Amino acid sequence: MATPMSDQEKRKQISIRGIVGVENVAEIKKGFNRHLHFTLAKDRNVSTQRDYFFALAHTVRDHLVGRWLRTQQYYYETDPKRVYYLSLEFYMGRTLENTMINLGLQNACDEAIYQLGLDMEDLEEMEEDAGLGNGGLGRLAACFLDSMATLGLAAYGYGIRYEYGIFNQRINDGWQVEEADDWLRHGNPWEKARPEFMLPVHFYGHVEKTREGPKWVDTQVVLAMPYDTPIPGYMNNTVNTMRLWSARAPNDFNLQDFNVGDYIQAVLDRSVAENISRVLYPNDNFFEGKELRLKQEYFVVAATLQDIIRRFKASKKGRITFETFPDKVAIQLNDTHPAMAIPELMRILVDIEKLPYDKAWEITQKTFAYTNHTVLPEALERWPVQLMEKLLPRHLHIIYEINQKHLDKISALFPKDMDRLRRMSIIEEEGVKRINMAHLCIVGSHAVNGVAQIHSQIVKDQVFRDFSELEPEKFQNKTNGITPRRWLLMCNAGLAELIAEKIGDGYVKDLSQLRKIAAFVNDESFIRDVSKVKQENKMKFAQYLEKEYKVKINPSSMFDVHVKRIHEYKRQLLNCLHIITMYNRIKKDPAKHFVPRTVIIGGKAAPGYHMAKMIIKLITSVGDVVNNDPVVGNRLKVIFLENYRVSLAEKVIPAADLSEQISTAGTEASGTGNMKFMLNGALTIGTMDGANVEMAEEAGEGNIFIFGMRVEDVDQMDRKGYNAKDYYDRIPELRQVIDQISGGFFSPKQPDLFKDIVNLLMYHDRFKVFADYESYMKCQESVNALYKNPKEWTKMVIRNIAASGKFSSDRTISEYAREIWGVEPSTAKIPAPDDPR
């Protein structure tokens, strides 16, 4: 097969990546050489690839700054309502290529770098991922920032500048090993520290009653230093800001009081205060009630609210009253992690600004909205009252007061219904007293949303049923989306250009236009071209795997991809059972024709999650057997993709044929990887869960491989009781697989290695893997049958791409803007810095 065109050659033909003007290219080369010389103090004789990356990054950043300043100036002049997206995670990945695309500089930069005798792709590979997130929730925040800028909203992302992001994953002898992610080691060219906006954050202390009301005194102070990162919209000259806070000890830290003597120790102790922004907690969908985590949550909230109020007061029109605060400020809480913003705003309004309690509460409710991201009980944040009392005593008082008024309202509506009061209280009284942060968010917000239709329905009907019966108008759905700039233009240039040739480039800002390509579903040359782009992406990924991991794979095999965090509910184990079943079928009848597959599984396990780590070990052990069995040959290969992260997703997703979205119905709130695969020309095998339901609705159920129990079936089984052994006894192929795992077939040196997994599957599997096994196997047979007919497969791919327009984060953000924040998206272009005003 011919070697695929390099991305650089491809981009030469591309219209949607900016014009190559001679002056443009010359200017970029000039900027590059200037930064190499003056910023990095190097010449071409001693420069490394990393130096060249930084020189280019600084050159591209130069093009952002004018637009950034002008955007912020424009917001000051026009004083729009501002949107604040509060999140403890922003999973940004790399910035260089995305910035070039959004500024329309990519072709010019490509040409400049080529003329300088360098390779653009090599430079791009030097950039570290900003891994300030775990998975879906953090990546969603990043996509949202891109869409908010592209839609011209005056929006700000606020979070923490973790010194160490999500750990790097190494696989050692089949086991996950974690390494610290020292992503700032070489510096971050995209951020600008703003020490002049440093703010104090208070912890501990106690509350004193005074004539002016309660006072929080004797606190310990930590300073919050802001670092700003520019967020460019797509080709509209808007550049918004992501502001991340870093913890700094005050200069008099530990020196002001009694320990006068030990100056050295006092300076060394500063690191304790600065630990607040040291490291991202690596849990996805799991609550770990640690004091440091609560400190992080309050730290980001306290610094951000001071900043929001400073900006509100400093408006051009000048503000004397907080009456208009909700007309000028919308705050979105990304899950309950920033929920302390609710009592914190109350504290500021009541204790500092001296507003009456009821007025303060009205303002607070109108300002906040809350997004729920999960229905798993182990993921819900429930902070011990004792910890809150120690760390944030004034806030505990305020939460008690909020709860009292909330319960008074309910007991007036439902007299003597003690059980309802218990269920709806913000304070849980059973065992250790805890604060239910989701209840605090619902009570303190004017809007609550789930992230896919089915999830929002479950939130209303089950998880928060009492609350939705009380205020049905508060509950909404906002189905998640992904940014088509990163997840199509950037990661799949070939497909993006093919689409633009057929329907123009308007789809980049209005993804619903993809519907137009359905007209070409029977166009022979279009079918050929779509298939060719996929084949090139597969070749390129196969080359990457060979270079990085020394594994050879068959590029004409079906690439069956399952990438996401490792979790029991995501059912990587179900995929594993399918792999072993396929293996057994080949061994049983080696002469039979078999559709060749490369199964690619990737994802990180939380370091403390034993079962997830065992699942990785099982996958790698199965791979060791399958990949080295000469009878199997290249008909079946199993790859565990090490250190799955944003930049690796950008490589594997465009190369996938089959997307695995196989969570138990009712457990995956939405999923967003599912949308990325659909947009990039993979077909989906999945359950009726999360956004899969809406994907099936958009594409038509005949164009997606749906299997397994629906939510109703799962509920029914919960009532009746799930007995895994029934399936084990009844299904011979399943029994063989389980006997192999438990008998040490995949771990001959340690036959009982996987006893915990077998025990889980047989006796306490909350996620009912066996119940969907038969349906999954049968569905995989239909996948094989279609794959044997490449033309029909590609036609189904085209129908999927044509149906993926709904899943743009531009659509999602437009809905948040209109239905929650009360702002209107705009297509207007801010004048460029070089335009006369």
Side-chain angles (χ1 to χ4, degrees):
M1 194 163 271
T3 44
M5 257 196 294
S6 78
D7 277 12
Q8 197 158 332
E9 294 170 301
K10 236 181 252 158
R11 287 177 196 159
K12 292 257 173 76
Q13 322 163 312
I14 285 184
S15 58
I16 48 183
R17 300 193 157 214
I19 326 98
V20 187
V22 182
E23 330 70 40
N24 229 339
V25 174
E27 190 195 348
I28 286 161
K29 284 165 73 177
K30 198 171 140 190
F32 179 93
N33 287 320
R34 183 171 51 85
H35 278 295
L36 196 62
H37 190 91
F38 290 105
T39 309
L40 298 161
K42 290 274 189 102
D43 63 35
R44 291 290 299 257
N45 303 309
V46 293
S47 293
T48 63
Q49 284 288 70
R50 178 168 284 106
D51 292 319
Y52 295 136
F53 159 70
F54 274 105
L56 178 58
H58 280 105
T59 306
V60 171
R61 183 178 161 278
D62 289 344
H63 289 259
L64 273 172
V65 172
R67 293 175 171 91
W68 197 8
L69 296 175
R70 190 170 274 205
T71 301
Q72 301 310 312
Q73 203 176 321
Y74 175 75
Y75 292 156
Y76 182 75
E77 299 293 336
T78 55
D79 194 30
K81 182 173 185 177
R82 284 157 160 103
V83 172
Y84 296 100
Y85 197 82
L86 263 63
S87 181
L88 266 89
E89 303 185 17
F90 287 94
Y91 203 172
M92 303 293 286
R94 292 172 176 164
T95 297
L96 175 62
E97 195 180 354
N98 186 244
T99 304
M100 294 190 297
I101 286 173
N102 280 11
L103 295 183
L105 286 173
Q106 194 165 29
N107 272 332
C109 288
D110 269 341
E111 183 57 32
I113 292 302
Y114 173 74
Q115 288 182 18
L116 288 162
L118 299 168
D119 182 283
M120 178 61 95
E121 243 169 280
D122 291 347
L123 299 196
E124 287 168 350
E125 283 298 311
M126 293 308 301
E127 185 172 7
E128 297 272 1
D129 280 48
L132 308 184
N134 277 285
L137 173 149
R139 182 55 233 175
L140 185 79
C143 284
F144 279 4
L145 293 181
D146 182 88
S147 286
M148 289 187 292
T150 296
L151 293 171
L153 301 181
Y156 303 74
Y158 273 93
I160 296 177
R161 180 181 178 265
Y162 300 107
E163 206 173 310
Y164 295 90
I166 187 66
F167 61 87
N168 284 313
Q169 178 194 59
R170 297 284 160 255
I171 301 299
N172 201 327
D173 186 31
W175 298 94
Q176 167 175 297
V177 177
E178 300 88 21
E179 290 175 358
D181 167 39
D182 191 6
W183 72 289
L184 293 168
R185 182 172 52 239
H186 303 287
N188 173 3
W190 307 109
E191 69 182 8
K192 177 72 185 81
R194 302 277 186 205
E196 67 275 22
F197 291 117
M198 190 136 64
L199 294 167
V201 176
H202 298 260
F203 294 101
Y204 302 109
H206 62 268
V207 179
E208 274 180 4
K209 292 214 165 70
T210 72
R211 250 180 283 183
E212 290 82 58
K215 267 196 121 141
W216 185 18
V217 295
D218 292 335
T219 56
Q220 294 179 23
V221 175
V222 176
L223 300 177
M225 162 100 73
Y227 285 77
D228 289 355
T229 298
I231 306 290
Y234 179 72
M235 300 293 285
N236 65 349
N237 295 325
T238 295
V239 181
N240 285 343
T241 302
M242 174 177 67
R243 176 162 284 182
L244 303 180
W245 301 102
S246 181
R248 294 278 182 276
N251 286 332
D252 60 359
F253 185 78
N254 266 13
L255 287 168
Q256 63 282 65
D257 34 44
F258 44 87
N259 52 349
V260 184
D262 206 344
Y263 163 75
I264 296 290
Q265 195 53 47
V267 172
L268 298 183
D269 288 345
R270 294 167 61 83
S271 62
V272 178
E274 297 174 349
N275 277 338
I276 291 175
S277 55
R278 195 80 65 203
V279 60
L280 169 74
Y281 272 83
N283 303 317
D284 189 73
N285 274 300
F286 184 76
F287 170 60
E288 187 175 357
K290 294 279 196 285
E291 180 172 1
L292 180 61
R293 170 67 173 195
L294 183 56
K295 275 187 177 166
Q296 290 181 337
E297 291 183 357
Y298 178 66
F299 175 75
V300 64
V301 147
T304 299
L305 278 171
Q306 290 180 73
D307 216 34
I308 290 172
I309 288 165
R310 175 192 58 74
R311 197 175 285 115
F312 171 74
K313 287 181 170 177
S315 104
K316 198 179 182 192
K317 317 266 195 296
R319 306 227 198 268
I320 28 86
T321 166
F322 273 89
E323 199 73 43
T324 60
F325 191 74
D327 305 325
K328 287 294 173 188
V329 173
I331 304 177
Q332 192 69 34
L333 304 174
N334 194 25
D335 215 318
T336 58
H337 311 150
M340 288 306 294
I342 291 168
E344 174 65 5
L345 181 57
M346 284 298 287
R347 186 186 71 81
I348 293 168
L349 295 179
V350 174
D351 293 4
I352 298 168
E353 302 292 342
K354 305 296 182 196
L355 266 68
Y357 183 95
D358 290 336
K359 175 47 75 180
W361 184 240
E362 183 197 331
I363 290 168
T364 297
Q365 277 187 310
K366 284 181 176 166
T367 300
F368 287 109
Y370 156 58
T371 301
N372 172 275
H373 281 273
T374 181
V375 299
L376 294 183
E378 63 267 37
L380 296 178
E381 293 197 294
R382 295 153 61 243
W383 287 105
V385 164
Q386 237 194 313
L387 176 57
M388 191 73 70
E389 190 166 28
K390 176 174 109 164
L391 196 67
L392 300 166
R394 178 64 184 127
H395 297 76
L396 181 62
H397 288 186
I398 292 168
I399 289 167
Y400 274 138
E401 204 167 344
I402 291 169
N403 195 40
Q404 192 54 56
K405 293 186 188 276
H406 160 60
L407 293 180
D408 289 347
K409 224 162 92 183
I410 289 155
S411 54
L413 287 165
F414 305 94
K416 302 200 190 44
D417 191 345
M418 291 310 290
D419 202 52
R420 182 180 297 263
L421 288 178
R422 179 190 58 74
R423 291 196 310 267
M424 295 185 75
S425 177
I426 295 168
I427 311 292
E428 298 178 357
E429 306 279 358
E430 304 94 75
V432 181
K433 280 181 81 170
R434 294 175 175 276
I435 303 164
N436 185 313
M437 301 306 273
H439 290 185
L440 176 61
C441 285
I442 294 167
V443 171
S445 300
H446 70 275
V448 176
N449 73 281
V451 290
Q453 271 159 17
I454 188 175
H455 168 237
S456 297
Q457 209 55 55
I458 291 170
V459 162
K460 276 172 78 160
D461 299 344
Q462 296 172 31
V463 194
F464 303 129
R465 184 176 170 180
D466 292 316
F467 293 91
S468 73
E469 284 174 357
L470 205 62
E471 309 181 90
E473 68 293 335
K474 194 180 264 196
F475 289 79
Q476 303 188 19
N477 173 58
K478 296 285 169 280
T479 300
N480 283 163
I482 57 173
T483 172
R485 272 73 62 182
R486 182 174 296 266
W487 297 112
L488 182 57
L489 264 71
M490 182 178 136
C491 72
N492 202 341
L495 183 59
E497 183 53 26
L498 190 54
I499 293 167
E501 278 168 19
K502 286 289 180 202
I503 65 169
D505 61 7
Y507 74 91
V508 178
K509 288 185 91 151
D510 173 17
L511 208 62
S512 67
Q513 292 186 28
L514 286 179
R515 281 271 171 224
K516 297 180 193 165
I517 67 163
F520 303 99
V521 70
N522 294 308
D523 178 324
E524 295 288 339
S525 77
F526 187 63
I527 294 170
R528 244 194 334 271
D529 289 342
V530 170
S531 177
K532 180 166 165 279
V533 166
K534 177 62 73 179
Q535 204 49 46
E536 284 174 0
N537 292 340
K538 288 173 74 173
M539 291 286 290
K540 187 167 185 198
F541 188 66
Q543 284 166 14
Y544 172 83
L545 282 185
E546 208 176 320
K547 185 165 88 66
E548 293 296 314
Y549 302 101
K550 313 284 174 267
V551 275
K552 268 190 120 73
I553 57 174
N554 169 11
S556 61
S557 65
M558 183 199 308
F559 284 14
D560 171 350
V561 185
H562 196 182
V563 286
K564 54 188 71 244
R565 286 296 290 256
I566 310 293
H567 201 298
E568 287 158 71
Y569 89 84
K570 295 178 185 283
R571 297 203 295 192
Q572 282 91 358
L573 281 172
L574 182 56
N575 192 344
C576 218
L577 300 187
H578 175 243
I579 294 168
I580 300 169
T581 305
M582 285 193 288
Y583 172 75
N584 289 337
R585 287 177 183 176
I586 294 172
K587 295 289 280 185
K588 189 178 169 186
D589 190 356
K592 195 176 162 206
H593 173 73
F594 197 83
V595 177
R597 283 203 192 212
T598 302
V599 183
I600 299 169
I601 303 178
K604 292 175 184 176
Y609 190 173
H610 166 72
M611 191 55 66
K613 290 185 148 181
M614 288 307 304
I615 291 169
I616 291 174
K617 178 59 175 171
L618 178 62
I619 295 163
T620 55
S621 302
V622 170
D624 287 340
V625 171
V626 171
N627 299 345
N628 295 301
D629 191 322
V631 175
V632 175
N634 68 357
R635 291 182 286 185
L636 182 58
K637 287 276 178 262
V638 181
I639 307 290
F640 187 86
L641 207 50
E642 195 176 287
N643 203 31
Y644 181 64
R645 58 198 186 281
V646 175
S647 58
L648 192 48
E650 290 159 5
K651 294 179 174 70
V652 69
I653 291 171
D657 291 308
L658 186 67
S659 160
E660 300 266 357
Q661 308 296 336
I662 60 180
S663 54
T664 311
T667 64
E668 188 72 89
S670 165
T672 44
N674 46 5
M675 304 167 185
K676 292 160 194 170
F677 283 104
M678 184 185 195
L679 182 60
N680 280 279
L683 298 184
T684 303
I685 183 165
T687 51
M688 277 297 208
D689 197 19
N692 298 357
V693 177
E694 290 160 76
M695 286 164 53
E697 203 176 299
E698 294 294 302
E701 262 196 66
N703 293 308
I704 167 168
F705 296 98
I706 294 289
F707 73 93
M709 298 180 288
R710 311 299 200 255
V711 167
E712 302 73 41
D713 306 317
V714 175
D715 289 344
Q716 193 186 333
M717 187 170 285
D718 282 332
R719 286 193 293 274
K720 170 186 111 202
Y722 163 67
N723 187 355
K725 196 155 188 316
D726 293 347
Y727 298 92
Y728 173 87
D729 291 335
R730 185 170 59 73
I731 308 164
E733 278 192 310
L734 174 61
R735 185 164 61 247
Q736 181 188 2
V737 170
I738 297 303
D739 290 349
Q740 286 169 305
I741 297 171
S742 68
F745 184 85
F746 300 104
S747 54
K749 290 184 181 146
Q750 202 182 329
D752 67 345
L753 180 61
F754 299 118
K755 63 173 188 301
D756 289 353
I757 289 185
V758 173
N759 188 38
L760 173 86
L761 288 172
M762 292 292 290
Y763 303 110
H764 26 89
D765 177 11
R766 296 161 59 201
F767 303 105
K768 307 176 179 64
V769 170
F770 290 3
D772 280 342
Y773 172 83
E774 279 181 299
S775 177
Y776 183 51
M777 295 304 128
K778 218 173 123 183
C779 196
Q780 288 282 16
E781 287 300 306
S782 337
V783 173
N784 285 336
L786 188 65
Y787 196 75
K788 282 189 216 173
N789 184 340
K791 188 175 159 187
E792 286 307 312
W793 178 279
T794 305
K795 285 167 75 166
M796 196 179 282
V797 163
I798 293 165
R799 287 192 282 267
N800 270 267
I801 298 169
S804 64
K806 173 181 179 177
F807 305 106
S808 168
S809 48
D810 298 344
R811 186 268 317 150
T812 310
I813 288 297
S814 298
E815 291 178 11
Y816 276 98
R818 298 190 176 109
E819 296 163 29
I820 297 180
W821 304 329
V823 292
E824 191 55 36
S826 129
T827 47
K829 211 170 168 178
I830 293 178
D834 39 14
D835 289 353
R837 269 171 227 230

